[in-house]
Amino acid sequence: MKIALIGYGKMGKAIEKTAIERGHEIVLKIKRENLQDFNKENLSNADVAIEFTSPESALNNVVKSMEWGVPVVCGSTGWNNKLHIAKEKCLEVGSAFLQASNFSVGVNIFFEINKQLASIMNDWQEYDVKMEEVHHTEKKDSPSGTAITIAEQILENLKRKKHWIEGQPKSDDEISITAFREPNVPGTHVVKYVSAIDDIEIKHTAHSRDGFALGAVLAAEFVQHRKGIFTMSDVLMK
């Protein structure tokens, strides 16, 4: 498979390493210094694009890639309010698009446990729920896209909660997310149910970017010959 990397920071370099180890070829690397190379002619050499940039540039990168005939795997977070535009474009041009807040296989297993636990706790009113997340100081969005995904999963399954909020909740129907930024932390997410009697906690701690990189490459392998809108659940359950 020939891969275009749109975004060649720490994640892009980790993805490159994993992709090559799995026998793939990197045919294009787009970073700040060569933005002019992001064009239809260069992208036409790729079977799939993997996009990890910023909330400001993600939509343009994704839409252009699909318009130019290349399916896209996107890991940029912080642009959820524009995701519908990318999905509409995917259907319009008959491409493939997979966006995830987190590509780690472990995190996606955590997602499934989180949904199941929230559903169980729906019957136990005495437990309140709160969340914490820790990431490196270079992370642009807060709370993380992964934390927002986790919170939205809880909201879908825990009926007494209606909203999430960063910081202290202002009402009983809100889920509190506390975000910390510390040097050299790939990502930690904690969901804790608290009662007067005991606490129940689930936690995922990433030790490196390797798990995210592997998931992104697996997603690229999945969408290469497909059309439509997909999630990491599709990749893991194939």
Side-chain angles (χ1 to χ4, degrees):
M1 181 172 63
K2 295 180 179 180
I3 300 173
L5 294 177
I6 307 174
Y8 193 62
K10 293 178 181 178
M11 267 307 303
K13 290 171 183 174
I15 291 168
E16 177 182 37
K17 177 177 178 290
T18 299
I20 291 172
E21 288 173 350
R22 292 179 66 83
H24 303 306
E25 180 184 359
I26 307 300
V27 296
L28 183 64
K29 304 173 191 177
I30 300 298
K31 46 191 174 181
R32 289 189 182 94
E33 294 76 15
N34 71 330
L35 293 176
Q36 70 279 2
D37 292 337
F38 180 55
N39 55 55
K40 184 176 182 179
E41 181 181 358
N42 289 335
L43 205 64
S44 66
N45 296 316
D47 299 313
V48 63
I50 301 179
E51 202 276 355
F52 272 83
T53 60
S54 69
E56 295 76 25
S57 59
L59 178 62
N60 179 71
N61 294 337
V62 168
V63 167
K64 289 295 185 185
S65 297
M66 291 190 296
E67 286 179 338
W68 294 335
V70 179
V72 185
V73 168
C74 176
S76 297
T77 58
W79 62 292
N80 285 8
N81 60 329
K82 298 179 181 177
L83 265 177
H84 68 282
I85 301 174
K87 292 178 180 179
E88 289 167 4
K89 177 60 66 174
C90 176
L91 298 176
E92 175 188 329
V93 301
S95 187
F97 175 55
L98 189 155
Q99 193 275 343
S101 60
N102 197 307
F103 284 92
S104 163
V105 173
V107 164
N108 281 275
I109 293 171
F110 181 95
F111 285 162
E112 297 304 315
I113 295 170
N114 177 56
K115 289 186 284 188
Q116 182 66 19
L117 179 56
S119 180
I120 292 170
M121 299 308 290
N122 202 43
D123 293 329
W124 299 93
Q125 301 283 334
E126 59 267 40
Y127 286 89
D128 196 15
V129 60
K130 58 184 180 179
M131 295 173 50
E132 293 180 0
E133 60 102 334
V134 189
H135 278 89
H136 51 86
T137 51
E138 294 86 3
K139 187 163 182 62
K140 297 178 178 67
D141 52 331
S142 178
S144 70
T146 302
I148 292 172
T149 298
I150 292 168
E152 289 176 345
Q153 291 172 343
I154 295 172
L155 292 174
E156 289 174 2
N157 291 279
L158 192 66
K159 303 308 180 185
R160 60 182 176 272
K161 296 294 182 179
K162 304 300 181 185
H163 315 279
W164 64 264
I165 186 171
E166 185 173 6
Q168 291 301 313
K170 299 174 182 177
S171 61
D172 291 341
D173 64 356
E174 292 180 333
I175 301 171
S176 167
I177 304 177
T178 304
F180 299 97
R181 295 294 175 262
E182 299 175 4
N184 303 314
V185 178
T188 299
H189 294 87
V190 180
V191 176
K192 182 181 289 187
Y193 289 85
V194 181
S195 78
I197 297 173
D198 56 14
D199 296 346
I200 301 169
E201 178 178 298
I202 57 174
K203 179 178 181 179
H204 180 272
T205 303
H207 301 305
S208 72
R209 289 181 172 83
D210 293 347
F212 310 126
L214 174 60
V217 175
L218 290 174
E221 293 171 353
F222 180 85
V223 302
Q224 180 186 1
H225 298 300
R226 288 178 165 87
K227 295 184 184 299
I229 300 166
F230 303 99
T231 68
M232 278 303 290
S233 292
D234 298 312
V235 177
L236 298 177
M237 300 299 290
K238 66 178 179 179

